[in-house]
Amino acid sequence: MCTYNNYSKRGITIDGICCCRKQLSSKSRQGNREFVNEIGLISGLQHPNLVKLFGCCVEGNELLLVYEHMENNCLAHALFGSGASTLKLDWATRQKICVGIARGLAFLHEESTLRIVHRDIKATNVLLDWELNGKISDFGLAKLKEEENTHISTRVVGTIGYMAPEYVLWGYLTEKADVYSFGVVALEIVCGRSNASYWAQNGCVCLLDWTFNLQQKGKLMEILDPKLEYKFDKEKV
């Protein structure tokens, strides 16, 4: 069993295809809402950088979603995991993951029949396949974007540290909220550090604060993950 986020996901095999089972809580309104939301929004969407939904099942008190199996867990596990479980991500791989997330978001925002704002882009919701391609998962909080509306006014849900200021303060939701979250994830990929944890050091409270301080001092390259061992193209970074 492996846990990518707040749900349990277990590997299973259906018709010879290795899949992943995601179980949501049927005891909460949130669990039921996310279950219906995921089925309705992504069952018809196909893109190389979106995790594929194979099916669903309601059995007793269990709500189950069946996804394609992602061999290398989630991006957070690869970046922030400890010990032997941590994957070694070189610069080319990190760049590929960034581009993959961007392509997935471009599809949701501009290219699919349904225009969708994900609302919860973060490192635990980016899964990695056996080739370390990044795929966006977990559409339980996603919202449809209607063409005639410039934005959606909605209750604020998501993950602290990844939500855009205008969304947190006023519930003002556009595709830009996902782009902001992607920016945070991209920074985490470069730094190898999480923005979700509180930093009580050097006068900084989070990764964004620390990065801004270094930028002000002209020391921005100090944010680079030491695991890269200086093997990267500085201009691309």
Side-chain angles (χ1 to χ4, degrees):
M1 175 183 175
C2 59
T3 302
Y4 297 151
N5 48 31
N6 294 329
Y7 312 118
S8 66
K9 303 184 181 185
R10 299 174 181 173
I12 57 176
T13 301
I14 300 176
D15 294 334
I17 301 173
C18 190
C19 306
C20 200
R21 186 184 76 173
K22 171 178 171 181
Q23 183 173 349
L24 295 88
S25 171
S26 62
K27 297 179 181 179
S28 70
R29 183 182 300 174
Q30 184 73 6
N32 282 283
R33 184 187 297 118
E34 291 183 13
F35 180 76
V36 172
N37 204 45
E38 289 208 46
I39 296 170
L41 287 182
I42 68 168
S43 59
L45 297 181
Q46 301 288 330
H47 188 272
N49 295 108
L50 302 182
V51 174
K52 186 182 298 183
L53 176 67
F54 287 136
C56 63
C57 177
V58 178
E59 184 175 346
N61 291 325
E62 290 191 330
L63 305 177
L64 305 175
L65 295 171
V66 180
Y67 285 96
E68 63 176 315
H69 181 60
M70 303 296 284
E71 291 83 353
N72 282 304
N73 208 297
C74 69
L75 179 59
H77 186 264
L79 290 173
F80 318 131
S82 59
S85 62
T86 306
L87 292 170
K88 292 184 179 180
L89 304 179
D90 60 17
W91 176 251
T93 301
R94 294 179 195 227
Q95 187 176 16
K96 178 175 74 170
I97 292 170
C98 276
V99 172
I101 301 169
R103 285 175 174 161
L105 285 177
F107 175 76
L108 292 175
H109 295 169
E110 302 172 359
E111 300 164 9
S112 70
T113 304
L114 300 175
R115 304 298 172 89
I116 295 171
V117 183
H118 185 279
R119 288 207 293 179
D120 202 19
I121 297 295
K122 56 183 178 179
T124 51
N125 284 343
V126 176
L127 305 187
L128 304 175
D129 66 12
W130 67 280
E131 293 183 314
L132 296 175
N133 293 302
K135 300 193 179 190
I136 298 170
S137 71
D138 204 334
F139 287 75
L141 301 181
K143 277 278 189 182
L144 280 177
K145 175 72 164 59
E146 297 177 359
E147 291 288 342
E148 62 271 18
N149 294 329
T150 57
H151 70 279
I152 305 167
S153 295
T154 181
R155 67 188 180 93
V156 176
V157 294
T159 303
I160 293 174
Y162 296 90
M163 293 186 287
E166 73 276 8
Y167 177 49
V168 174
L169 293 173
W170 302 294
Y172 187 96
L173 181 67
T174 69
E175 296 92 337
K176 293 177 183 179
D178 283 349
V179 177
Y180 179 93
S181 302
F182 167 68
V184 176
V185 174
L187 188 60
E188 291 179 323
I189 290 172
V190 172
C191 299
R193 305 182 187 216
S194 173
N195 191 55
S197 56
Y198 176 76
W199 291 31
Q201 59 186 34
N202 301 323
C204 301
V205 296
C206 65
L207 180 62
L208 300 182
D209 195 14
W210 178 66
T211 303
F212 179 73
N213 283 347
L214 288 177
Q215 184 182 32
Q216 293 293 96
K217 296 175 182 177
K219 300 179 179 179
L220 188 58
M221 294 303 291
E222 290 185 15
I223 71 172
L224 268 290
D225 189 347
K227 297 190 190 77
L228 287 169
E229 299 176 343
Y230 300 99
K231 298 175 182 177
F232 51 81
D233 183 321
K234 184 176 179 180
E235 290 303 313
K236 290 183 179 180
V237 173

